[in-house]
């Protein structure tokens, strides 16, 4: 380095000049080039720099290039700071905002000198005008160098990060991406700067969603490595956490960009992402082979994008803007048919949000028949997450009464309990069964009849097997609630129809070779074990409805005769709490059991004190 400097100084700097009152500069630089007195030589160089700045500015150009090349060597970086070479260039740039032939090399020298050296970073931060440096990002010829300087200045150095964010680093970086003022080799550094800029991003200061579009277009450029793609995509995820950004994306119809990014994570090729119509029988995403680490990063990215999509589609603004006929929703429906587990799971969670509206849920089932795809997934998928999301979506779709018959497929749903060992999946399936039974006697009729796969087994018996095979209180409660729904649905409507429906239920239970006590057991268990008053009330309600005949009344009485149920029964009937539905339902049950016990003195002795001691009007229906 010093020999090259000597060659430059030869014609423009007097040989006796050092500015230090020492030997002439040729001897000083020659000694340094041999490895001696580097600090002394650098002091001489700084003095010469001051000289040529005044006497021969053109000499600054080659001199600065030589010093910038030297700054690439770690051994020179601290001496450059200690001997004021760095300060010379910081002062030079601070006094002049214009671009010169030496500017790029000066920036290189500053950037290299700050690499991993906090003391030089502190020096730079004190003198460097950050707005001027950020302005270099707007110039195509200096953008890459400015990016390198910014990275070496602020990575792992919090004071510089804070200062840069205060000087609007974020919009400066986005502008570089929009204008494509960068070489692909520098893109990893830009993504690192974006991580710094986004840390305390304020949507009030920079609300425009064009940043997301700019980042997406950068990610999908040919030649970008996977690590940088994931880093930039995570920046999109960070932006999506702000509700203001989410709402703006929805209002400006830019939400499709997020879907494109999700698709791109499978293809890594923007040219192959043409979205077909729903008439296309199959859409395959040709995912290139990845090493396990890359695939793990992409999987994590998809999970994060899925979570943000769920957040956005849960907003009221989304359901107002996007009906099932919209391009966005049609894209999501299409995802259900693509054999990618994360894509199918994400689609189900988004559609579940959309199905929170009864009208949307009805449209999706009646007009777009998405339940056919969902039932196909229940039959064919082995991915537990997909199955769980499918069942949750079906449960939301099953809320409108018009959808229940269309969604019924007890064969596929109840087989879940034997095909997979997953408590959460089992619970979801039981909850879906309950929703399908609620208010739809056609489904009750189907649920009580024999299954397709085994004529001697009913879907109801599968439900009871689930109860007997689990120790999970939540699961047991869900089974009990499904049984209550059978009787609730049978007892809804006009009295003449109720009689017929209840008769059918009791007949179907007998034909399925099930006993009343098997059906009563889960409901009594829910009453005894639940600490939730509404569930207890629901349990007494169910038992009151089930006590419609002597056979069922006897099963209920026997179940309540055990110690714990007996105590609960007495406490509920004798409750003095005002407006207690639990008390009212329990008393109606006691009255019905009493009327069925005329020929059973022992039962009369037990029930009479409950009914008459309660001092209430026993006429009425459970509620």
């Amino acid at each position: 380095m010093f020999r090259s400097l000597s060659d430059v100084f030869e014609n423009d700097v007097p040989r006796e000049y050092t500015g230090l009152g020492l030997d002439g500069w040729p001897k000083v630089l020659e000694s340094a080039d041999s490895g001696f007195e580097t600090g002394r030589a650098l002091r001489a160089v700084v003095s010469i720099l001051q000289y040529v700045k005044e006497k021969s500015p053109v000499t600054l150009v080659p001199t600065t290039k030589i010093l910038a090349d030297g700054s690439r060597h770690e051994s020179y970086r601290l001496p450059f700071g200690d001997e004021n070479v760095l300060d010379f260039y910081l002062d030079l740039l601070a006094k002049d905002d214009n671009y010169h032939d030496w500017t790029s090399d000066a920036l290189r020298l500053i950037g290299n000198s700050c690499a991993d050296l906090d003391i030089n970073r502190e020096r730079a931060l004190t003198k460097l005008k950050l707005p001027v440096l950020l302005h270099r990002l707007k110039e195509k010829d200096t953008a890459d160098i400015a990016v390198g300087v910014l990275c070496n200045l602020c990575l792992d150095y919090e004071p510089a990060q804070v200062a840069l964010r205060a000087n609007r680093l974020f919009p400066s970086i986005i502008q570089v991406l929009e204008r494509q003022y960068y070489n692909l080799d520098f893109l990893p550094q830009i993504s690192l700067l974006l991580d710094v800029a986004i840390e305390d991003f304020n949507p009030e200061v920079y609300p425009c969603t064009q940043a997301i579009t700019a980042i997406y277009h950068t990610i999908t450029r040919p030649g970008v490595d996977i690590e940088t793609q994931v880093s930039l995509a995570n920046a999109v995820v960070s932006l999506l956490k702000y509700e203001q950004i989410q709402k703006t994306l929805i209002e400006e119809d830019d939400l499709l960009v997020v879907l494109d990014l999700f698709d791109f994570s499978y293809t890594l090729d923007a040219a192959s992402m043409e979205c077909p119509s729903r008439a296309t029988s199959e859409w395959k995403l040709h995912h290139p082979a990845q090493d396990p680490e890359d695939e793990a990063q992409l999987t994590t990215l998809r999970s994060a994008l899925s979570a943000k999509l769920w957040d956005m589609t849960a907003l009221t603004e989304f359901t107002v803007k996007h009906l099932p006929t919209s391009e966005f929703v049609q894209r999501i429906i299409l995802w259900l048919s693509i054999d990618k587990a994360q894509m199918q799971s994400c689609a189900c969670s988004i559609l579940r949000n959309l199905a929170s509206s009864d009208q949307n849920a009805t449209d999706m089932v009646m007009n777009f028949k998405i339940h056919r795809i969902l039932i196909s997934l229940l039959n064919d998928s082995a991915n537990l997450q997909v199955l769980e999301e499918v069942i949750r979506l079906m449960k939301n779709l099953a809320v409108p009464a018009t959808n229940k018959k269309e969604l019924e497929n007890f064969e596929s749903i109840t087989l879940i309990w034997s095909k997979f060992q997953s408590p959460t999946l089992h619970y979801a399936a039981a909850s879906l069964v309950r929703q399908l039974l609620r208010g739809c006697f056609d489904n009750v009729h189907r649920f009580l009849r024999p299954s397709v796969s085994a004529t001697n087994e009913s879907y109801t018996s599968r439900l009871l097997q689930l109860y007997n095979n689990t120790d999970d209180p939540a699961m047991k409660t869900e089974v009990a609630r499904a049984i209550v729904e059978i009787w609730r649905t049978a007892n809804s409507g006009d009295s003449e129809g109720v009689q017929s429906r209840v008769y059918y239920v009791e007949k179907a239970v007998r034909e399925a070779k099930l006993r009343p006590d098997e059906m009563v057991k889960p409901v009594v268990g829910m009453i005894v074990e639940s600490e939730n008053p509404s569930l207890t009330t629901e349990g007494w309600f169910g038992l009151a409805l089930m006590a419609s005949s002597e056979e069922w009344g006897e099963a209920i009485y026997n179940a309540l005769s055990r110690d714990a149920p007996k105590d609960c029964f007495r406490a509920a009937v004798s409750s003095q709490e005002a407006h207690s539905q639990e008390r009212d339902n329990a008393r109606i049950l006691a009255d019905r059991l009493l009327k069925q016990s005329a020929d059973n003195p022992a039962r009369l002795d037990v029930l009479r004190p409950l009914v008459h001691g309660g001092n209430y009007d026993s006429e009425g229906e459970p509620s």
Side-chain angles (χ1 to χ4, degrees):
M1 179 181 76
F2 291 104
R3 183 173 300 170
S4 298
L5 288 171
S6 294
D7 293 341
V8 172
F9 296 157
E10 183 69 32
N11 297 323
D12 298 312
V13 182
R15 295 178 65 83
E16 70 278 4
Y17 180 83
T18 63
L20 302 174
L22 303 169
D23 295 336
W25 60 261
K27 288 186 178 180
V28 175
L29 297 188
E30 182 181 350
S31 175
D33 216 29
S34 301
F36 302 102
E37 296 186 309
T38 300
R40 181 185 175 204
L42 287 175
R43 289 194 293 276
V45 168
V46 172
S47 179
I48 293 171
L49 286 170
Q50 297 287 358
Y51 173 83
V52 299
K53 183 181 71 169
E54 301 296 332
K55 304 293 185 180
S56 180
V58 69
T59 308
L60 272 177
V61 177
T63 302
T64 305
K65 183 180 186 308
I66 293 168
L67 290 170
D69 290 344
S71 69
R72 291 183 298 186
H73 300 283
E74 189 174 350
S75 60
Y76 284 129
R77 293 172 186 170
L78 184 57
F80 273 20
D82 290 344
E83 306 304 338
N84 297 321
V85 177
L86 175 61
D87 278 356
F88 172 82
Y89 283 102
L90 289 170
D91 290 337
L92 196 63
L93 288 172
K95 291 175 182 177
D96 191 348
D97 293 350
N98 295 322
Y99 180 82
H100 300 277
D101 290 342
W102 46 261
T103 299
S104 294
D105 288 322
L107 288 171
R108 269 202 309 133
L109 184 148
I110 293 169
N112 291 338
S113 299
C114 290
D116 300 320
L117 278 177
D118 285 354
I119 187 170
N120 279 356
R121 288 167 170 168
E122 185 177 357
R123 289 167 174 147
L125 195 60
T126 301
K127 294 190 174 184
L128 190 61
K129 293 197 290 187
L130 293 180
V132 174
L133 179 57
L134 291 171
H135 184 75
R136 302 298 178 196
L137 293 171
K138 300 178 182 180
E139 300 168 354
K140 192 171 185 178
D141 294 336
T142 58
D144 286 344
I145 296 172
V147 165
V149 175
L150 289 167
C151 276
N152 285 346
L153 180 63
C154 75
L155 294 185
D156 302 320
Y157 188 58
E158 184 65 25
Q161 294 178 10
V162 172
L164 284 168
R165 288 194 289 260
N167 281 276
R168 294 175 60 79
L169 174 62
F170 180 82
S172 298
I173 295 297
I174 295 302
Q175 196 168 69
V176 171
L177 297 180
E178 285 179 326
R179 297 179 177 181
Q180 296 187 9
Y181 280 0
Y182 58 86
N183 184 297
L184 283 179
D185 293 338
F186 282 82
L187 196 53
Q189 290 178 298
I190 293 175
S191 71
L192 292 174
L193 286 175
L194 191 56
D195 287 342
V196 171
I198 214 166
E199 188 170 315
D200 60 357
F201 172 78
N202 185 350
E204 299 294 336
V205 176
Y206 193 85
C208 186
T209 58
Q210 71 189 62
I212 291 177
T213 304
I215 296 171
Y216 170 73
H217 288 316
T218 304
I219 292 170
T220 55
R221 283 191 68 186
V224 182
D225 63 274
I226 292 177
E227 187 174 351
T228 303
Q229 288 174 333
V230 172
S231 176
L232 291 170
N234 283 327
V236 172
V237 172
S238 296
L239 290 173
L240 291 177
K241 74 181 180 181
Y242 298 101
E243 188 171 300
Q244 182 173 336
I245 296 292
Q246 296 176 6
K247 289 181 177 179
T248 306
L249 280 173
I250 293 169
E251 290 165 4
E252 296 179 358
D253 281 334
D254 287 335
L255 206 52
L256 288 170
V257 173
V258 186
L259 299 192
D260 290 340
L261 184 55
F262 202 105
D263 286 343
F264 182 79
S265 72
Y266 285 103
T267 66
L268 301 184
D269 178 10
S272 69
M273 291 187 347
E274 291 186 11
C275 184
S277 67
R278 290 195 69 238
T280 303
S281 60
E282 187 175 11
W283 181 30
K284 292 182 178 179
L285 291 175
H286 298 284
H287 185 37
Q290 304 294 333
D291 66 41
E293 186 174 342
D294 289 340
E295 190 59 45
Q297 288 188 27
L298 292 169
T299 298
T300 301
L301 169 63
R302 290 182 207 117
S303 295
L305 286 171
S306 180
K308 297 308 175 189
L309 281 166
W310 191 91
D311 290 341
M312 288 185 282
T313 55
L315 294 172
T316 303
E317 287 80 358
F318 174 82
T319 54
V320 170
K321 184 84 173 180
H322 293 279
L323 297 175
T325 53
S326 71
E327 181 184 354
F328 180 93
V329 177
Q330 290 300 301
R331 280 270 299 275
I332 293 300
I333 293 175
L334 180 65
W335 281 11
L336 293 172
S337 300
I338 301 173
D339 189 20
K340 299 293 180 183
Q342 283 188 290
M343 186 172 274
Q344 291 171 334
S345 296
C346 180
C348 286
S349 66
I350 291 171
L351 293 171
R352 181 155 47 93
N353 280 338
L354 195 67
S356 60
S357 156
D358 283 1
Q359 183 59 56
N360 288 343
T362 302
D363 285 346
M364 284 191 279
V365 171
M366 296 300 177
N367 297 331
F368 297 108
K369 309 296 181 184
I370 71 167
H371 58 290
R372 295 177 182 174
I373 306 174
L374 299 178
I375 291 170
S376 177
L377 286 172
L378 282 185
N379 292 329
D380 300 333
S381 178
N383 185 285
L384 297 182
Q385 183 183 5
V386 171
L387 290 169
E388 195 169 329
E389 290 294 343
V390 165
I391 289 173
R392 287 176 175 173
L393 171 55
M394 289 180 69
K395 184 180 176 184
N396 273 26
L397 293 172
V399 171
T402 52
N403 287 351
K404 292 182 186 292
K405 286 176 65 175
E406 295 291 328
L407 288 164
E408 183 277 315
N409 192 304
F410 291 125
E411 181 66 17
S412 300
I413 297 167
T414 59
L415 280 177
I416 291 287
W417 298 326
S418 59
K419 285 168 63 176
F420 302 98
Q421 297 302 312
S422 169
T424 55
L425 184 58
H426 288 182
Y427 179 87
S431 187
L432 174 58
V433 165
R434 179 170 65 84
Q435 186 62 266
L436 290 170
L437 294 173
R438 189 181 185 94
C440 181
F441 194 73
D442 285 331
N443 283 354
V444 169
H445 179 278
R446 297 175 194 182
F447 189 68
L448 292 169
R449 71 187 181 188
S451 69
V452 173
S453 60
T455 55
N456 62 343
E457 179 186 40
S458 69
Y459 303 125
T460 310
S461 65
R462 291 181 185 174
L463 182 71
L464 294 174
Q465 288 169 17
L466 177 66
Y467 181 87
N468 293 327
N469 292 335
T470 184
D471 294 323
D472 179 24
M475 180 70 73
K476 287 180 175 292
T477 295
E478 200 63 17
V479 172
R481 298 187 71 193
I483 292 172
V484 170
E485 285 302 335
I486 294 174
W487 265 264
R488 189 201 306 268
T489 300
N491 279 271
S492 61
D494 62 278
S495 57
E496 185 176 342
V498 165
Q499 239 178 354
S500 173
R501 287 191 292 272
V502 169
Y503 173 79
Y504 172 80
V505 168
E506 294 181 351
K507 179 174 177 288
V509 169
R510 286 194 301 272
E511 290 176 349
K513 298 182 179 178
L514 296 172
R515 302 187 310 274
D517 59 288
E518 292 179 289
M519 302 287 283
V520 167
K521 179 182 175 182
V523 182
V524 173
M526 179 173 71
I527 292 169
V528 173
E529 297 168 15
S530 178
E531 297 180 359
N532 185 328
S534 65
L535 292 177
T536 306
T537 298
E538 187 174 348
W540 291 120
F541 167 83
L543 291 180
L545 294 179
M546 295 166 82
S548 54
S549 67
E550 292 186 8
E551 180 185 15
W552 284 82
E554 183 177 1
I556 294 170
Y557 178 83
N558 291 338
L560 294 175
S561 296
R562 299 181 179 88
D563 290 341
K566 184 191 301 182
D567 293 340
C568 290
F569 193 24
R570 286 175 175 169
V573 171
S574 60
S575 171
Q576 298 302 311
E577 184 180 347
H579 310 297
S580 170
Q581 282 189 329
E582 177 184 347
R583 175 200 59 198
D584 294 343
N585 288 338
R587 288 178 176 179
I588 290 170
L589 170 62
D591 182 66
R592 290 185 177 180
L593 293 178
L594 180 64
K595 291 177 179 177
Q596 295 168 2
S597 304
D599 299 329
N600 192 324
R603 282 171 58 178
L604 288 173
D605 290 342
V606 173
L607 293 169
R608 275 199 186 106
L610 289 176
V611 173
H612 300 298
N615 190 26
Y616 68 98
D617 180 6
S618 63
E619 294 299 323
E621 293 295 325
S623 59

